[in-house]
Short mmCIF file of all heavy atoms in Angstrom, two decimals:
data_model
loop_
_atom_site.label_atom_id
_atom_site.label_comp_id
_atom_site.label_asym_id
_atom_site.label_seq_id
_atom_site.Cartn_x
_atom_site.Cartn_y
_atom_site.Cartn_z
N MET U 244 -1.19 -6.74 21.28
CA MET U 244 -0.06 -6.84 22.20
C MET U 244 -0.13 -5.77 23.27
O MET U 244 0.23 -6.00 24.43
CB MET U 244 1.25 -6.72 21.43
CG MET U 244 1.49 -7.86 20.44
SD MET U 244 1.66 -9.48 21.24
CE MET U 244 3.36 -9.42 21.76
N GLU U 245 -0.60 -4.59 22.91
CA GLU U 245 -0.66 -3.49 23.88
C GLU U 245 -1.77 -3.68 24.90
O GLU U 245 -1.61 -3.36 26.07
CB GLU U 245 -0.84 -2.18 23.12
CG GLU U 245 -0.50 -0.93 23.94
CD GLU U 245 -1.66 -0.47 24.81
OE1 GLU U 245 -2.82 -0.73 24.42
OE2 GLU U 245 -1.41 0.14 25.87
N THR U 246 -2.90 -4.24 24.45
CA THR U 246 -4.05 -4.36 25.34
C THR U 246 -4.06 -5.66 26.16
O THR U 246 -4.69 -5.70 27.22
CB THR U 246 -5.36 -4.29 24.53
OG1 THR U 246 -5.34 -5.30 23.51
CG2 THR U 246 -5.50 -2.92 23.87
N ASP U 247 -3.37 -6.70 25.68
CA ASP U 247 -3.47 -8.02 26.32
C ASP U 247 -2.28 -8.37 27.21
O ASP U 247 -2.24 -9.48 27.75
CB ASP U 247 -3.62 -9.12 25.27
CG ASP U 247 -4.92 -8.99 24.48
OD1 ASP U 247 -5.79 -8.22 24.91
OD2 ASP U 247 -5.04 -9.66 23.44
N ASN U 248 -1.31 -7.47 27.35
CA ASN U 248 -0.10 -7.85 28.07
C ASN U 248 0.25 -6.92 29.23
O ASN U 248 1.40 -6.87 29.66
CB ASN U 248 1.09 -7.91 27.10
CG ASN U 248 0.99 -9.05 26.13
OD1 ASN U 248 1.32 -10.19 26.44
ND2 ASN U 248 0.49 -8.77 24.93
N GLY U 249 -0.74 -6.21 29.72
CA GLY U 249 -0.54 -5.44 30.93
C GLY U 249 0.61 -4.45 30.87
O GLY U 249 0.73 -3.65 29.94
N LEU U 250 1.51 -4.53 31.88
CA LEU U 250 2.61 -3.58 31.98
C LEU U 250 3.61 -3.71 30.84
O LEU U 250 4.25 -2.73 30.45
CB LEU U 250 3.35 -3.78 33.32
CG LEU U 250 2.51 -3.53 34.59
CD1 LEU U 250 3.33 -3.90 35.82
CD2 LEU U 250 2.07 -2.07 34.66
N GLN U 251 3.74 -4.91 30.29
CA GLN U 251 4.70 -5.12 29.20
C GLN U 251 4.11 -4.81 27.82
O GLN U 251 4.81 -4.89 26.81
CB GLN U 251 5.21 -6.56 29.20
CG GLN U 251 6.03 -6.94 30.42
CD GLN U 251 5.17 -7.34 31.60
OE1 GLN U 251 4.06 -7.83 31.41
NE2 GLN U 251 5.67 -7.13 32.81
N GLY U 252 2.81 -4.47 27.77
CA GLY U 252 2.14 -4.28 26.49
C GLY U 252 2.74 -3.16 25.65
O GLY U 252 2.87 -3.28 24.43
N VAL U 253 3.13 -2.07 26.29
CA VAL U 253 3.68 -0.93 25.54
C VAL U 253 4.98 -1.32 24.85
O VAL U 253 5.21 -0.99 23.69
CB VAL U 253 3.89 0.27 26.47
CG1 VAL U 253 4.60 1.40 25.73
CG2 VAL U 253 2.57 0.77 27.02
N SER U 254 5.84 -2.05 25.57
CA SER U 254 7.12 -2.46 24.99
C SER U 254 6.91 -3.45 23.84
O SER U 254 7.56 -3.34 22.80
CB SER U 254 8.00 -3.10 26.07
OG SER U 254 8.28 -2.18 27.11
N LEU U 255 6.01 -4.40 24.02
CA LEU U 255 5.75 -5.38 22.97
C LEU U 255 5.13 -4.72 21.74
O LEU U 255 5.48 -5.05 20.60
CB LEU U 255 4.83 -6.47 23.50
CG LEU U 255 5.41 -7.34 24.62
CD1 LEU U 255 4.35 -8.25 25.22
CD2 LEU U 255 6.57 -8.18 24.10
N ALA U 256 4.20 -3.79 21.97
CA ALA U 256 3.59 -3.07 20.85
C ALA U 256 4.63 -2.22 20.13
O ALA U 256 4.57 -2.07 18.89
CB ALA U 256 2.43 -2.20 21.34
N ALA U 257 5.57 -1.66 20.87
CA ALA U 257 6.62 -0.85 20.24
C ALA U 257 7.50 -1.69 19.34
O ALA U 257 7.93 -1.23 18.27
CB ALA U 257 7.46 -0.16 21.32
N VAL U 258 7.78 -2.92 19.73
CA VAL U 258 8.57 -3.81 18.87
C VAL U 258 7.84 -4.07 17.56
O VAL U 258 8.43 -4.01 16.47
CB VAL U 258 8.84 -5.15 19.59
CG1 VAL U 258 9.52 -6.13 18.64
CG2 VAL U 258 9.72 -4.92 20.81
N VAL U 259 6.53 -4.34 17.65
CA VAL U 259 5.74 -4.57 16.44
C VAL U 259 5.73 -3.31 15.58
O VAL U 259 5.81 -3.39 14.34
CB VAL U 259 4.31 -5.00 16.81
CG1 VAL U 259 3.50 -5.26 15.55
CG2 VAL U 259 4.33 -6.25 17.68
N ALA U 260 5.64 -2.14 16.21
CA ALA U 260 5.64 -0.89 15.45
C ALA U 260 6.95 -0.69 14.71
O ALA U 260 6.97 -0.29 13.54
CB ALA U 260 5.39 0.27 16.40
N VAL U 261 8.07 -0.98 15.38
CA VAL U 261 9.38 -0.85 14.72
C VAL U 261 9.49 -1.83 13.56
O VAL U 261 9.99 -1.49 12.48
CB VAL U 261 10.51 -1.07 15.74
CG1 VAL U 261 11.87 -1.10 15.03
CG2 VAL U 261 10.50 0.03 16.79
N MET U 262 9.01 -3.05 13.74
CA MET U 262 9.06 -4.04 12.68
C MET U 262 8.14 -3.65 11.51
O MET U 262 8.45 -3.90 10.35
CB MET U 262 8.66 -5.41 13.22
CG MET U 262 9.69 -6.03 14.15
SD MET U 262 11.27 -6.32 13.32
CE MET U 262 10.80 -7.54 12.09
N LEU U 263 7.01 -3.02 11.83
CA LEU U 263 6.12 -2.55 10.76
C LEU U 263 6.79 -1.44 9.95
O LEU U 263 6.68 -1.40 8.72
CB LEU U 263 4.81 -2.05 11.36
CG LEU U 263 3.76 -1.50 10.37
CD1 LEU U 263 3.42 -2.54 9.32
CD2 LEU U 263 2.51 -1.06 11.13
N MET U 264 7.49 -0.54 10.63
CA MET U 264 8.24 0.49 9.92
C MET U 264 9.36 -0.13 9.08
O MET U 264 9.62 0.31 7.95
CB MET U 264 8.80 1.51 10.91
CG MET U 264 7.76 2.42 11.52
SD MET U 264 8.45 3.75 12.53
CE MET U 264 8.89 2.84 14.02
N GLY U 265 10.00 -1.15 9.63
CA GLY U 265 11.04 -1.85 8.86
C GLY U 265 10.47 -2.55 7.65
O GLY U 265 11.07 -2.55 6.57
#
Side-chain angles (χ1 to χ4, degrees):
M244 296 296 279
E245 197 276 332
T246 56
D247 296 347
N248 290 279
L250 297 174
Q251 294 84 28
V253 174
S254 299
L255 295 171
V258 173
V259 181
V261 173
M262 290 298 296
L263 179 57
M264 288 187 284

